[in-house]
Amino acid sequence: MPAARHHNLTVPDHKTLRADAERQVKDELGQIPRPDDRFKRACEIVQQADLEIAAHAEERNEAAMSLWFYDGVRGLGNVLGMVPNAYRQMRRIALYGERNAPLTVDDERMSAEERQAAAKKAGLPHIKDAAGRLPSLAATVSVATARRKAAMPFLQDAALALTEEPYGWTTDRISELGDTTPKYVRDVKNAAMRRRGH
C-alpha cells in the first residue's frame, strides 16, 4: 500500500483505498440488472462490511488509544483515516465512556505520566505491538466502511423498486431474500424515497 511514514507508523492511503473499494462495489452492483438480485448482493456486501467493521474497529481503536495514551504518539488521525473531530471523539469515548463528554485543553496537554494514569484509570490496555497492527486494522475498517457506503444506495433503491410495479413484493418477502428484517426493508425503502424527494 503506498504510504508515508508517520511517527514510525505507516499511514495508509485511505483516500485511494476508499475510492477503489467504492468503485468496485458500484461496478459490481451496477451490472446486476434485476432488482431482486441486486438487493440480495447489496445486502451481502453490507452484511460482510458490518462484520469486518465489528471484528476490527474495536481492536483498531484500542491500538490507537494505546499509542496515544501510553506511547505519546501524536497525529494518529492520519493513520486512522479520520478527521480531527472523529479522532477527538474516539479519545473522549476512551477517557470518559461517552462521545459527547468534554475533552478539555488540559486533556489535550497532559504530560506522559498524566496520559498513562488517565489510561489506566479508564481501563485502557497497553498494547505492545499496537504500532505494527494499527495501519492494517485502520485500512481494513476504511475499506469495509467504503464498501458499505457504496452498497447502501443500491440496496435502498432495489428495495424500493421491489415494492413498486411490476413487482409489488411485500417487505416480508424482500426481507427473506436479503436475510434481514421487515423493519430493515421498510427503513431502507424509506431512505430511497427520501433521496428521491418523497
Side-chain angles (χ1 to χ4, degrees), residues 75-150:
L76 290 170
N78 294 332
V79 179
L80 293 164
M82 290 183 170
V83 296
N85 284 343
Y87 177 50
R88 197 170 297 116
Q89 184 179 81
M90 179 189 283
R91 292 197 310 271
R92 277 197 291 267
I93 292 169
L95 270 183
Y96 304 111
E98 55 185 85
R99 68 181 59 221
N100 295 322
L103 195 63
T104 67
V105 172
D106 292 337
D107 291 330
E108 293 288 335
R109 296 183 182 160
M110 287 188 274
S111 68
E113 294 79 18
E114 290 169 331
R115 274 196 319 276
Q116 290 171 11
K120 286 176 185 164
K121 182 180 176 187
L124 299 174
H126 187 195
I127 300 169
K128 299 293 184 200
D129 61 342
R133 293 168 46 197
L134 181 60
S136 172
L137 291 166
T140 298
V141 173
S142 259
V143 167
T145 303
R147 287 179 59 76
R148 184 185 202 291
K149 177 183 172 191

Side-chain angles (χ1 to χ4, degrees), residues 33-36 161-169 173:
R34 292 173 44 121
D36 53 341
L162 288 170
T163 64
E164 297 174 331
E165 293 301 329
Y167 303 98
W169 286 22
R173 183 175 176 191

Side-chain angles (χ1 to χ4, degrees), residues 41-60 137 140-145 147-148 178-179 184:
R41 180 62 186 130
C43 282
E44 291 168 355
I45 291 169
V46 168
Q47 290 162 359
Q48 179 63 38
D50 287 344
L51 288 172
E52 287 180 29
I53 293 166
H56 300 293
E58 186 175 339
E59 192 178 351
R60 174 202 67 179
L137 291 166
T140 298
V141 173
S142 259
V143 167
T145 303
R147 287 179 59 76
R148 184 185 202 291
D179 194 22
Y184 182 82

